[in-house]
Amino acid sequence: RALLLAAAEAEFAAGLAEAAIHRCTTAADLAAGLDGPARAAVLARASLVVRGLGGPVNTTVLELAGRALSALAAHTPDDDATRARVLAQRALAAADVLGFDELGDDPAEAFRLAERSGDGLALFDALRARQHAASGPDGVAERLEIARRMAGLTRPADAGLWGSIWRIDAALQLGTIETVDGELARLAVLAEQLGWPLAHWHRHRMTAAVALLQGRFVEAEEAADTALDWARRTEDRSAVAIDTAFRTELHRLQGRAGELVPALEDAARHAGTMPIFQAHAGSMLAAVGDTVGARYWLDRLRPVLEDLPHDGRWLPTVASTAQLGADLGDTDVAAVCARLLAPYAGYFIAGGSGSVRCDGSVSRVLGVATAAAGSRDEAIRHLEAAVVAEDRAGALPYRTMSEIALAGLLVEDPARLDLARLDAAAGHAERAAATARRLGMPEELCRADGVLVTIRRARQDRTGLTPREREITTLLAEGRTNREIAGRLVLSERTVESHVANVLGKLGLARRAQVAGWVAEHGPVR
């Protein structure tokens, strides 16, 4: 039994999770012939070997933890440290297998027992469970404190790894991206020290997430390729599935969303009941124009939106659903999501327990959702806040999206359109177009150019030029003299001179030579 468990621990460290959990089950079954305390010790150790993974192994972990807790209660009820560790393990496995709402009181009880025992390993496991219990957006401050305590533990070897990962999660959610670089450097050192496939996977997937957020698409894809290689060595199926969730966003930003539709269809067989998958799949199908497929997923999200567990997946799920509702013109869903997201307007869209990616500012999605629900002025305020936040974080792809949406809203209401509003819209749209072109975001570039066309037309409409004055403006931009214009339009030179004076006055120009520059900036008059 001891040899089996030692081998299991070595296999887990090497990334052989399925082999490790099989040995743990065998050791637990062989413990049946031992006396009570010895059997409890074997069962407890067997339940604690495999940790920090998602997927089917947690079904076995949950069963082993249940057996261990029964034996501990019967034979060693005063062993606070071991009970704390197994309680924490059961809580994490239950959350993965049964759902976040099944955490119950186990994380709090595990932490209480661990604190009372003073045992470092017990505190390590209890902090893991407590972190997961606080993984919703309301728990970010608590998670930072948990990360600080975890990073300060001297054992086990991976305590610092989890402390660093949780600090990155929190920084992504808070949009304090400037703190992430130091944590990524620390994570690289820890991964090398541990040598675990799991540690290397976390390091490279976090690197990919930050590169994607900042528009370094080539670097993001390279880091994701490396992360996927390490993920396959962990035997954690959820780690491999996470790669699809990451690449769908990368490809969407690059205008390559259609390439991953087959992968989404395959993933639906395994994750189709998960709201976060439904929201992301719907958004991806909407992006490629498959409104029927997108609405299929939205219809599954609609009845559960209000009751989603407030866990680490809540914020990305509701944000993606808000975007999906807006894309499909579903004002009811957009309004519900806007109400749910409003308390987190200052956050960024990232998970609170193992961020797969960071999708920019919550304020951007709030702006899109409130606009879809009919609150244009509120939407403009949200989008202005999003531009500021994403600019500060260097989240260039998402700032581009926010600026395009903002520029579009600014010119949407003709009754309120003045030159200052047009200038603001043009500034956002022009910067968005330049950034989209530089990063390689063809669809966003097309949207930005479309808004710029609308702005140019709006500027022209506001000039008040008559049809004849527009003709003359075009000829002036070509450098024609009054005599040439008169000949072309069959007018007297005196009449042309009068029209030229009117054109200059309406365009706010002092000299006819300035007309060409005005047309170059605002587009040809029609």
Side-chain angles (χ1 to χ4, degrees), residues 38-390:
R39 182 160 59 88
V42 171
L43 288 171
R45 184 177 174 188
S47 73
L48 294 169
V49 170
V50 175
R51 61 184 187 272
L53 302 182
V57 294
N58 277 322
T59 301
T60 305
V61 170
L62 183 60
E63 187 267 334
L64 288 172
R67 290 169 64 182
L69 285 169
S70 296
L72 288 166
H75 302 293
T76 56
D78 297 327
D79 187 350
D80 288 344
T82 304
R83 284 181 58 216
R85 298 189 69 196
V86 180
L87 271 172
Q89 184 79 323
R90 183 175 73 176
L92 290 167
D96 187 57
V97 175
L98 305 175
F100 183 79
D101 292 338
E102 298 303 316
L103 278 168
D105 296 328
D106 282 357
E109 177 65 5
F111 189 73
R112 185 184 69 81
L113 292 172
E115 290 272 67
R116 189 166 76 183
S117 73
D119 184 272
L121 288 176
L123 187 58
F124 167 83
D125 286 321
L127 286 171
R128 287 175 54 238
R130 186 175 168 189
Q131 191 275 342
H132 197 66
S135 60
D138 292 323
V140 66
E142 182 181 358
R143 295 201 312 272
L144 282 169
E145 173 59 19
I146 292 169
R148 184 192 66 78
R149 292 198 64 176
M150 179 64 92
L153 295 178
T154 57
R155 65 188 186 114
D158 56 333
L161 173 76
W162 296 107
S164 191
I165 289 169
W166 297 342
R167 277 196 290 258
I168 293 173
D169 281 343
L172 290 176
Q173 200 167 76
L174 293 172
T176 54
I177 311 303
E178 64 276 5
T179 68
V180 173
D181 287 344
E183 292 300 332
L184 284 175
R186 188 174 293 109
L187 201 56
V189 172
L190 290 165
E192 292 298 328
Q193 289 174 345
L194 290 168
W196 296 1
L198 184 67
H200 285 291
W201 171 64
H202 279 300
R203 171 206 173 178
H204 291 290
R205 73 175 182 82
M206 289 292 198
T207 299
V210 175
L212 176 62
L213 172 67
Q214 298 184 332
R216 293 177 277 120
F217 296 149
V218 172
E219 182 181 337
E221 190 151 27
E222 289 173 350
D225 289 342
T226 304
L228 180 59
D229 181 55
W230 284 109
R232 289 175 173 140
R233 300 187 211 182
T234 69
E235 295 186 353
D236 181 353
R237 295 179 192 175
S238 67
V240 177
I242 280 170
D243 179 72
T244 300
F246 177 84
R247 288 180 199 267
T248 52
E249 181 68 359
L250 172 62
H251 285 203
R252 185 183 70 82
L253 293 174
Q254 293 178 304
R256 301 162 53 198
E259 295 177 18
L260 283 178
V261 170
L264 281 177
E265 294 170 350
D266 181 63
R269 290 195 290 271
H270 306 288
T273 61
M274 297 172 60
I276 192 167
F277 171 83
Q278 295 168 348
H280 288 163
S283 294
M284 185 60 57
L285 291 174
V288 298
D290 182 357
T291 56
V292 173
R295 199 169 296 281
Y296 170 86
W297 292 116
L298 183 62
D299 288 342
R300 275 143 188 78
L301 286 160
R302 191 191 321 276
V304 303
L305 268 177
E306 300 271 13
D307 301 314
L308 288 173
H310 225 103
D311 61 4
R313 295 170 176 166
W314 184 90
L315 189 55
T317 301
V318 178
S320 289
T321 306
Q323 183 70 57
L324 178 57
D327 289 343
L328 296 178
D330 193 314
T331 57
D332 290 338
V333 166
V336 169
C337 291
R339 173 171 53 80
L340 294 172
L341 291 170
Y344 311 106
Y347 283 34
F348 273 47
I349 305 165
S353 184
S355 299
V356 176
R357 61 192 204 221
C358 180
D359 294 351
S361 173
V362 171
S363 290
R364 184 189 75 259
V365 178
L366 269 171
V368 171
T370 51
S375 301
R376 184 184 289 114
D377 288 345
E378 183 181 356
I380 288 172
R381 288 194 296 272
H382 284 308
L383 288 167
E384 288 172 339
V387 171
V388 171
E390 289 162 349

